[in-house]
């Protein structure tokens, strides 16, 4: 039987109305047997997420202030949902227990994880699925980091006897039984672990957007949703700052080649974005999937005549950076030149030290620095004969009179990285987006 692991985010489960949509989605496809849930999120712009409300409860208790009214607000939110869906959960008893634990100085992670715990209880009751408490199967080491291998095995064992299950996201426990949480947004990671543990055919991530956009909507008007993205392309997108799934939420499934489908609970008929290793048979995609970028870059240029004839000029340069613990974003080498792109905020505190070391150890003919650069990635895995897409993107910048400071593309042809002045960043993104859209993104 096909297995789909479906994770529903906070906005998807923020109210009884949202619960009804989620039930409809789950029941429309019998393969959706394993469900992961977040705590109730925002119902409207100014609303507060339950996890943040619980954080407030914890802080109040820690300061010996009265936490009861804040906890009461959380209780009311759950009561409202329970009433709206007709759930038979004894919330009164649950909250009495939570209140007692908080009065006995419960840990932060216990308190803030109660949103996921209660939401999973409500949804499992509503669906008639078995509730699985991650306290018993999402395992943390003593240093507070989640142990993915052990968790995968334990989740697998917990799911084995079950046809259907709802697992609370975001938390687990260490070997002493203390509740531990993942970083914020961590239910995505629980979902990915569960998909890997169940060897699922698909990991669905239901949220409030219809997938990944081909460009930043604050810069480009209504950018298109990308239908397919490869895991490698996704990595570049998140590296360049696009808000996509965290790497920890991708690795467990990408290792096993399980596709991730990001889609919207409010528009379930939209197939959203699917992240794959290889495209399904018969599907094609344009060689460029999107454009993203980052501001705040500096470029260091080092030149020395005949440097490329002797061994080690670039190696010495990189050794200097390594010994100073200064990471670089890109390194471009030419004949007798090395160009380094470094984040300005990291360079700033050690700029003088770096320069004097370069002068001492490399004795360059020229050492230059320019600030206020942005790096733009034209992202897409390209076939060997399709690099014309990148050339078109570059041409569009020259046609628009946007100066190009650096160009970087490896033989793997995954991304074309272009350096443009910061003040031209938005224009450059729009310009490239228009070109790739015209070409049939
Ligand atoms: N509820 C937690 C948060 O708000 C975890 C999650 O939603 O994944 O970060």
């Amino acid at each position: 039987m096909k297995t789909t692991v479906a994770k529903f985010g906070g906005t998807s489960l923020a109210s009884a109305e949202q619960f009804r949509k989620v039930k409809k989605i789950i029941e429309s496809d019998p393969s959706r047997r394993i469900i992961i849930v977040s705590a109730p999120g925002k119902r409207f712009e100014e609303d507060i997420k339950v996890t943040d409300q619980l954080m407030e409860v914890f802080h109040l208790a820690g300061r010996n202030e009265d936490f009861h009214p804040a906890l009461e607000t959380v209780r009311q939110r759950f009561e409202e949902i329970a009433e709206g869906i007709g759930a038979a959960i004894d919330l009164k008893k649950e909250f009495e227990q939570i209140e007692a634990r908080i009065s006995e100085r419960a840990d932060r992670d216990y308190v803030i994880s109660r949103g996921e715990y209660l939401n999973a209880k409500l949804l499992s009751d509503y669906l008639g699925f078995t509730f699985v408490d991650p306290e018993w199967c999402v395992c943390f080491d003593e240093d507070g980091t989640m142990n993915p291998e052990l968790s995968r095995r334990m989740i697998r064992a917990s799911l084995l006897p079950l046809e259907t299950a709802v697992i609370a996201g975001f938390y687990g426990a260490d070997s002493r039984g203390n509740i531990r949480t993942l970083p914020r947004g961590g239910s995505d990671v629980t979902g990915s672990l569960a998909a890997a543990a169940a060897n699922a055919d698909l990991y669905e991530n239901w949220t409030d957007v219809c997938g990944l956009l081909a460009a930043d909507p604050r810069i480009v008007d209504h950018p298109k949703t990308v239908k397919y993205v490869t895991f490698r392309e996704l990595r570049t997108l998140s590296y360049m700052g696009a808000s996509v799934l965290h790497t920890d939420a991708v690795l467990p499934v990408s290792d096993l080649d399980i596709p991730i489908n990001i889609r919207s609970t409010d528009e379930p008929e939209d197939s959203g974005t699917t992240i794959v290793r290889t495209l399904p048979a018969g599907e094609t995609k344009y060689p460029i999937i999107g454009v993203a970028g980052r501001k705040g870059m500096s470029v260091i240029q080092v030149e020395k005549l005949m440097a490329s004839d002797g061994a080690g000029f670039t190696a010495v340069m990189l050794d200097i950076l390594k010994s100073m613990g200064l990471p670089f974003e890109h390194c471009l080498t030419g004949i007798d030149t090395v160009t380094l792109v470094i984040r300005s905020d990291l360079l700033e505190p050690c700029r003088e030290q770096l320069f004097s070391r370069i002068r001492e150890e490399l004795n360059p003919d020229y050492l230059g620095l320019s600030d206020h650069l942005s790096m733009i990635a034209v992202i897409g895995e390209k076939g060997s004969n399709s690099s014309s897409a990148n050339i078109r993107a570059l041409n569009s910048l020259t046609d628009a009179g946007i100066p190009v400071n650096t160009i970087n593309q490896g033989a793997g042809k995954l991304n074309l990285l272009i350096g443009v002045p910061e003040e031209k960043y938005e224009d450059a993104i729009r310009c490239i987006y228009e070109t790739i859209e015209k070409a049939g993104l």
Side-chain angles (χ1 to χ4, degrees):
M1 187 188 8
K2 194 178 159 207
T3 300
T4 299
V5 169
K7 180 254 165 181
F8 290 88
T11 43
S12 301
L13 291 164
S15 64
E17 191 193 342
Q18 293 299 85
F19 264 68
R20 281 191 280 275
K21 286 183 197 165
V22 166
K23 186 176 194 206
K24 220 167 140 190
I25 290 169
I26 293 169
E27 290 181 346
S28 69
D29 180 348
S31 80
R32 293 183 179 125
R33 303 187 297 110
I34 298 158
I35 314 299
I36 318 298
V37 306
S38 283
K42 291 185 177 198
R43 292 157 293 184
F44 43 88
E45 189 56 32
E46 311 75 41
D47 201 10
I48 304 172
K49 292 178 176 186
V50 160
T51 309
D52 291 321
Q53 289 175 323
L54 289 166
M55 196 80 85
E56 176 64 9
V57 169
F58 171 73
H59 287 315
L60 288 167
R63 295 194 299 258
N64 282 327
E65 289 175 38
D66 184 9
F67 65 84
H68 294 92
L71 188 60
E72 177 57 18
T73 316
V74 177
R75 194 189 64 78
Q76 277 170 13
R77 271 201 78 172
F78 280 107
E79 282 295 356
E80 240 176 76
I81 297 174
E83 247 172 57
I85 59 172
I89 300 286
D90 190 350
L91 279 176
K92 191 167 169 279
K93 195 167 134 218
E94 294 284 0
F95 272 89
E96 275 167 12
Q97 271 168 16
I98 294 171
E99 193 183 328
R101 292 269 310 257
I102 297 173
S103 302
E104 289 158 15
R105 294 240 171 266
D107 286 345
R108 167 192 174 274
D109 287 5
Y110 166 82
V111 181
I112 67 168
S113 65
R114 294 307 88 189
E116 270 73 13
Y117 166 81
L118 291 167
N119 234 18
K121 283 220 135 178
L122 286 177
L123 188 67
S124 58
D125 178 79
Y126 189 39
L127 296 171
F129 285 18
T130 305
F131 166 70
V132 174
D133 194 332
E135 185 177 346
W136 310 113
C137 55
V138 175
C139 310
F140 283 71
D141 292 333
E142 293 312 307
D143 64 1
T145 53
M146 188 266 298
N147 182 326
E149 226 0 87
L150 184 58
S151 301
R152 231 161 74 171
R153 271 188 275 135
M154 294 296 281
I155 298 171
R156 190 171 179 73
S158 308
L159 292 177
L160 222 51
L162 305 175
E163 278 275 301
T164 55
V166 176
I167 311 177
F170 185 44
Y171 72 94
D174 62 25
S175 59
R176 284 180 298 175
N178 298 315
I179 297 287
R180 302 280 199 146
T181 52
L182 291 156
R184 294 299 300 265
S187 304
D188 286 340
V189 180
T190 315
S192 184
L193 285 172
N199 207 359
D201 299 275
L202 180 66
Y203 171 33
E204 288 179 341
N205 196 295
W206 291 85
T207 173
D208 51 3
V209 290
C210 288
L212 303 179
L213 298 173
D216 186 338
R218 290 166 300 183
I219 301 173
V220 172
D221 236 4
H222 297 101
K224 284 194 181 166
T225 305
V226 193
K227 196 159 184 252
Y228 285 104
V229 176
T230 66
F231 287 116
R232 293 173 75 214
E233 291 166 342
L234 183 80
R235 167 86 186 110
T236 313
L237 266 172
S238 50
Y239 176 77
M240 293 312 272
S243 64
V244 289
L245 287 176
H246 190 272
T247 311
D248 289 346
V250 174
L251 281 182
V253 286
S254 65
D255 277 355
L256 296 177
D257 214 353
I258 299 170
I260 308 174
N261 184 201
I262 302 177
R263 49 202 296 186
S264 165
T265 303
D266 294 324
E267 290 170 67
E269 54 300 321
D270 190 316
S271 59
T273 300
T274 307
I275 307 157
V276 288
R277 180 165 294 165
T278 42
L279 281 190
E283 291 285 349
T284 50
K285 83 180 198 7
Y286 186 70
I288 295 176
I289 59 112
V291 53
R294 298 214 298 217
K295 287 186 177 180
M297 298 291 174
S298 298
V299 177
I300 295 177
Q301 198 184 334
V302 193
E303 283 184 24
K304 188 174 171 73
L305 197 65
M306 310 302 282
S308 51
D309 286 1
F313 187 74
T314 310
V316 174
M317 184 69 228
L318 298 185
D319 269 349
I320 296 174
L321 293 179
K322 191 174 169 206
S323 67
M324 291 177 60
L326 180 61
F328 64 91
E329 303 300 307
H330 315 287
C331 173
L332 310 155
T333 54
I335 300 161
D336 301 339
T337 68
V338 181
T339 304
L340 289 158
V341 180
I342 299 180
R343 268 174 50 185
S344 310
D345 58 334
L346 300 180
L347 176 64
E348 192 47 44
C350 54
R351 179 187 292 229
E352 286 317 314
Q353 193 197 350
L354 176 66
F355 274 43
S356 56
R357 286 207 45 194
I358 296 175
R359 282 196 195 98
E360 256 168 51
E361 292 174 45
L362 288 166
N363 188 25
D365 300 332
Y366 173 78
L367 177 57
L369 169 78
S370 39
D371 287 318
H372 307 296
L373 189 82
S374 58
M375 289 303 296
I376 294 178
V378 182
I379 304 159
E381 295 213 42
K382 298 159 193 78
S384 52
N385 53 3
S386 62
S387 46
S388 67
N390 276 352
I391 294 169
R392 265 188 269 181
L394 266 174
N395 278 345
S396 71
L397 294 182
T398 352
D399 290 350
I402 296 173
V404 172
N405 295 46
T406 58
I407 303 172
N408 182 5
Q409 185 193 279
K413 293 190 178 162
L414 174 61
N415 309 303
L416 166 67
L417 297 162
I418 308 169
V420 302
E422 246 173 23
E423 75 270 14
K424 293 286 179 191
Y425 174 72
E426 283 81 6
D427 287 346
I429 294 268
R430 278 189 285 270
C431 194
I432 295 171
Y433 179 80
E434 268 168 36
T435 311
I436 58 184
E437 198 194 18
K438 264 191 221 137
L441 172 85

